[in-house]
Amino acid sequence: MNKKLPAQSGITPTSPIKNKVGSVFVPVRNIEKSRSWYCQVLGLNEADCEIMNGHLCPLPMDGVGIILDTMPKWGGDQPGGAASIETPAFMLMTEDLKRSFDYMKELGVNLITEIEHDHWFVVKDPDGNKLMICLE
């Protein structure tokens, strides 16, 4: 059944869904290890990043939230775990791109790109998720 949406009929629909992102879920295999990595990268205190229900770890962020999740309902209970994010799905902001790049190098983070167009670079987290670091 292919029902026509009101917008297709020339009527503007009123959606109850807000034009707002609440949080982004990041699939991880080891919640403790991932919490440590993200806390180190973001300068967060691990004590402020409680692991909930054995598989969720909301990170205290400015703006849109990040929730680390072992994804038991979405393949995390399978031998390989939930699929990693292969294309950066979000970006972390910085006011000093070169210093951020050097910091990630010092941490031994897997750098996927160099600084591109003086504006961004991409890294992999311990689970293979690609993250973009972008100049604000």
Side-chain angles (χ1 to χ4, degrees):
M1 183 170 165
N2 199 1
K3 198 171 185 179
K4 209 174 197 187
L5 294 175
Q8 293 171 323
S9 64
I11 300 169
T12 303
T14 303
S15 175
I17 301 168
K18 292 183 177 183
N19 182 2
K20 180 180 180 181
V21 174
S23 293
V24 174
F25 283 87
V26 177
V28 301
R29 289 174 185 82
N30 181 316
I31 195 76
E32 290 87 5
K33 180 180 176 183
S34 293
R35 174 181 63 180
S36 294
W37 188 88
Y38 276 87
C39 284
Q40 188 173 24
V41 165
L42 297 171
L44 301 172
N45 184 342
E46 282 190 49
D48 297 331
C49 303
E50 180 185 352
I51 295 172
M52 302 165 52
N53 303 319
H55 71 97
L56 293 166
C57 184
L59 301 176
M61 303 290 292
D62 292 330
V64 175
I66 292 177
I67 301 175
L68 308 177
D69 189 354
T70 59
M71 305 274 178
K73 194 170 183 94
W74 313 111
D77 59 349
Q78 301 303 309
S84 298
I85 301 169
E86 286 296 319
T87 304
F90 61 93
M91 57 186 158
L92 299 170
M93 307 308 292
T94 182
E95 291 179 354
D96 189 334
L97 196 62
K98 174 77 168 100
R99 189 166 147 238
S100 297
F101 187 81
D102 292 342
Y103 178 69
M104 297 302 254
K105 263 187 181 175
E106 289 169 22
L107 292 179
V109 170
N110 185 349
L111 300 164
I112 301 304
T113 69
E114 295 292 321
I115 293 175
E116 302 286 332
H117 308 285
D118 297 321
H119 197 69
W120 58 272
F121 64 95
V122 174
V123 301
K124 269 190 185 179
D125 75 4
D127 295 286
N129 297 304
K130 291 180 183 164
L131 311 172
M132 182 178 283
I133 314 298
C134 193
L135 188 61
E136 190 167 32

